[in-house]
Amino acid sequence: MSAPPGEVPYRLAGREADVARALDLSGTGRATAEAVRFLRECESRGLRVTWRAAGSPSYDPGLLHHLPPPLELPGHEGELANWRAAYSYGSLHHRRGPGFVTVLDRRQRGTAVRLTLDHPGLLAAFLRLQEPAPLDAVDPEALALLTAERLVLAAGGWAVALPPRIRRWPVPCTAL
């Protein structure tokens, strides 16, 4: 198994990743996009992540409730409790096919939304945002649609896709 990519210093021991420093969730630049990508990739690989958050989110933190919650979210204890209650492995994920991506979003309790991205512009933007990118590097119309569907975090001049590509599959195969 390959390790999660990114610029986040961490230690990998078995199926656990321990992040060395607090991850910036403020949404003020590239550091937030890199942190979200790192957490998304850990989720994708089924790794248990031990991490702490820094910064006060300038976006709806509910966008991240499909990712493992931090040990600490200074100044936002209520939000941390909500995150812990809402988190469930696989509640937002994607699968790829030839010329399309299917996304299943179960972040909202009691609902399941299935989206198929097969329009070339949307698909290209989604795949491009597997890596954090400056906002001007992505088609603005596609970015607006993906952001409206809560599939992309766009903050601080940077954007990154939110749904992990599940590689460890405890999610029932009939769920997608």
Side-chain angles (χ1 to χ4, degrees):
M1 176 190 77
S2 63
E7 303 189 14
V8 174
Y10 65 95
R11 188 181 57 127
L12 190 60
R15 305 242 21 103
E16 296 188 17
D18 186 20
V19 180
R21 61 172 168 77
L23 298 180
D24 178 7
L25 293 187
S26 67
T28 58
R30 182 179 183 154
T32 299
E34 288 290 350
V36 169
R37 176 180 69 153
F38 175 80
L39 294 170
R40 184 196 70 212
E41 290 304 309
C42 286
E43 183 78 355
S44 174
R45 290 165 171 79
L47 298 175
R48 185 179 174 321
V49 184
T50 303
W51 67 287
R52 289 173 171 69
S56 185
S58 61
Y59 51 89
D60 174 11
L63 285 171
L64 305 182
H65 286 183
H66 66 288
L67 299 172
L71 295 175
E72 299 173 356
L73 189 59
H76 299 278
E77 287 71 25
E79 179 57 38
L80 180 57
N82 291 341
W83 193 336
R84 287 180 177 153
Y87 173 71
S88 176
Y89 179 79
S91 61
L92 174 68
H93 61 273
H94 80 272
R95 294 188 72 186
R96 295 183 194 171
F100 70 93
V101 167
T102 301
V103 177
L104 180 63
D105 186 352
R106 297 179 300 129
R107 288 177 287 185
Q108 186 73 22
R109 296 242 185 245
T111 64
V113 176
R114 189 181 326 236
L115 301 167
T116 300
L117 306 177
D118 57 359
H119 182 277
L122 282 177
L123 182 59
F126 182 81
L127 295 176
R128 168 66 180 97
L129 291 173
Q130 295 305 300
E131 300 289 327
L135 295 179
D136 60 4
V138 183
D139 173 56
E141 187 176 336
L143 180 63
L145 287 169
L146 292 169
T147 302
E149 290 295 336
R150 300 173 55 89
L151 301 179
V152 165
L153 173 64
W158 287 81
V160 65
L162 294 171
R165 183 177 185 186
I166 298 296
R167 291 173 171 85
R168 298 190 56 85
W169 204 254
V171 178
C173 62
T174 57
L176 190 57

